[in-house]
Amino acid sequence: MNKKELIKLCLNFDDAIDSYPFGEEHIVLRHKTNNKWFGLIFHLNNKLCINLKCNPIDSVFLREEYKSIYPAWHMNKTHWNTIEVNNISKDLLDSLIKMSFDLTKPKK
């Protein structure tokens, strides 16, 4: 998967938008309605990565289970993970993106 495909995957949600506050190298994915981030796309050590929010219990499990998931680069390490996009399954990536989107969506 390349960066454009990852952005497109993340923008499948009705309330999702992308922004570029740090230039083209770091893409912020956020909600239109509350401006909360649910993802950050970037390259780290020549690997396509995304930071996604996760509840702390699942974060521990994921980090132990997958070497391509680790504490988030430049974000709260309890609630955010960095995921090497091309080193996990598409199904797992989809579910992690959805989880992050749901954790940050506006409260009703």
Side-chain angles (χ1 to χ4, degrees), residues 5-108:
E5 292 168 333
L6 181 56
I7 294 167
K8 185 177 178 181
L9 179 66
C10 293
L11 295 178
N12 280 332
F13 301 100
D14 286 339
D15 194 40
I17 59 172
D18 56 337
S19 59
Y20 301 81
F22 311 112
E24 296 290 320
E25 295 301 311
H26 297 87
I27 298 94
V28 173
L29 302 156
R30 59 186 178 85
H31 294 267
K32 289 181 221 175
T33 52
N34 67 4
N35 287 321
K36 285 189 178 183
W37 292 23
F38 70 91
L40 175 68
I41 298 171
F42 57 97
H43 281 90
L44 184 63
N45 300 323
N46 294 318
K47 294 178 182 172
L48 180 61
C49 295
I50 185 168
N51 283 354
L52 296 170
K53 190 161 190 175
C54 188
N55 71 58
I57 294 169
D58 288 339
S59 284
V60 171
F61 168 77
L62 289 164
R63 293 170 189 174
E64 289 175 354
E65 189 71 20
Y66 302 95
K67 69 176 187 171
S68 298
I69 299 176
Y70 39 87
W73 175 79
H74 278 287
M75 296 178 86
N76 181 301
K77 309 227 182 299
T78 301
H79 296 278
W80 290 83
N81 287 325
T82 293
I83 294 99
E84 294 176 1
V85 172
N86 291 311
N87 292 329
I88 64 168
S89 71
K90 170 81 167 49
D91 289 340
L92 178 57
L93 180 61
D94 288 343
S95 66
L96 294 173
I97 292 169
K98 182 178 182 341
M99 180 189 309
S100 183
F101 184 85
D102 289 344
L103 286 169
T104 56
K105 69 183 178 184
K107 307 290 184 239
K108 291 188 178 192

